[in-house]
């Protein structure tokens, strides 16, 4: 495994970000967890949305202040993942299921330890925001995320059924979600 660096997205990352996104879609994955809607917006729209969400006064009214980072592998400057750190849980979805941190590793870079490294770096950032503990949620069948969260100190505190209908996501209704907390 190579060392990672978290970088704030910039216009100069457009091609690398589009390649990153395409790899998920080519792998029949239409949701990129922790991407703050990269999977739904074109890069320029997403970048503007992302920049606005970093600040409480400009954050989307239906979201919370959050900082999204690309995880670049230092050796070749390739985006291997993305991670979103939400500054609080003042949103129904986040408070119930999503938590403070969401992340994804591109399909060709999985099972190499990158998610654990990304999460460890993100936990330091969350602590710098003044957070004392963070919540993370993942589907109970997502073994890779469970292992990553537990390696980083996650303690399972709750397992519950995801209410996809309540959140206008009926395709995810009745999936079980694990809720973890990590002390910082």
């Amino acid at each position: 495994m190579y060392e990672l660096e978290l970088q704030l997205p910039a216009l100069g990352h457009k091609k690398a970000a589009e390649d990153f996104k395409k790899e998920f879609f080519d792998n029949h994955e239409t949701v990129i967890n922790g991407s703050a809607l990269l999977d739904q917006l074109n890069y320029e729209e997403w970048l503007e949305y992302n920049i606005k969400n970093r600040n409480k006064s400009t954050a989307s009214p239906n979201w919370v202040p959050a900082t999204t980072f690309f995880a670049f592998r230092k050796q070749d400057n390739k985006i291997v993942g993305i991670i979103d750190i939400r500054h609080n849980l003042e949103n129904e979805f986040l408070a119930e299921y999503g938590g403070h941190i969401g992340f994804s590793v591109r399909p060709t870079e999985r099972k190499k330890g990158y998610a654990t490294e990304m999460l460890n770096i993100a936990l330091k950032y969350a602590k710098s925001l003044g957070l004392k503990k963070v919540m993370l949620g993942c589907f109970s069948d997502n073994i890779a995320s469970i292992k990553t969260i537990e390696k980083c100190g996650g303690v399972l505190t709750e397992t519950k059924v995801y209410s996809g209908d309540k959140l206008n996501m009926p395709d995810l209704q009745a999936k079980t979600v694990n809720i973890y907390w990590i002390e910082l």
Side-chain angles (χ1 to χ4, degrees), residues 26-180:
D26 288 351
N27 200 48
H28 308 289
E29 297 178 41
T30 57
V31 175
I32 304 173
N33 293 315
S35 75
L37 304 180
L38 179 63
D39 49 17
Q40 298 176 37
L41 302 171
N42 75 45
Y43 189 74
E44 287 84 0
E45 291 171 326
W46 175 79
L47 184 60
E48 183 178 333
Y49 175 78
N50 186 283
I51 291 168
K52 286 181 178 178
N53 275 349
R54 293 180 201 156
N55 187 308
K56 184 176 182 173
S57 65
T58 56
S60 177
N62 59 349
W63 201 237
V64 299
T67 308
T68 306
F69 294 97
F70 287 126
F72 282 89
R73 183 170 46 215
K74 286 185 176 182
Q75 179 220 15
D76 58 4
N77 208 34
K78 179 179 183 179
I79 297 173
V80 298
I82 194 164
I83 193 159
D84 187 46
I85 300 111
R86 296 86 182 222
H87 303 184
N88 63 58
L89 297 180
E90 296 171 7
N91 168 282
E92 182 180 10
F93 169 76
L94 295 177
E96 283 289 316
Y97 307 105
H100 288 95
I101 300 174
F103 58 90
S104 287
V105 173
R106 71 188 308 151
T108 57
E109 299 297 340
R110 293 178 181 157
K111 298 183 180 181
K112 297 179 182 180
Y114 292 130
T116 302
E117 187 175 347
M118 287 167 46
L119 183 53
N120 277 320
I121 296 168
L123 292 171
K124 291 175 188 162
Y125 181 79
K127 187 173 184 174
S128 80
L129 294 173
L131 297 173
K132 304 287 186 226
K133 62 182 184 173
V134 294
M135 178 188 141
L136 288 92
C138 71
F139 290 119
S140 58
D141 62 355
N142 186 341
I143 303 305
S145 285
I146 290 169
K147 287 181 178 180
T148 297
I149 294 167
E150 289 177 349
K151 279 183 197 172
C152 293
V155 175
L156 179 65
T157 59
E158 185 178 6
T159 299
K160 57 185 169 183
V161 176
Y162 185 82
S163 181
D165 57 337
K166 179 178 167 187
L167 299 167
N168 199 22
M169 298 177 179
D171 54 325
L172 297 178
Q173 189 172 359
K175 283 195 79 165
T176 305
V177 176
N178 289 351
I179 303 299
Y180 294 86

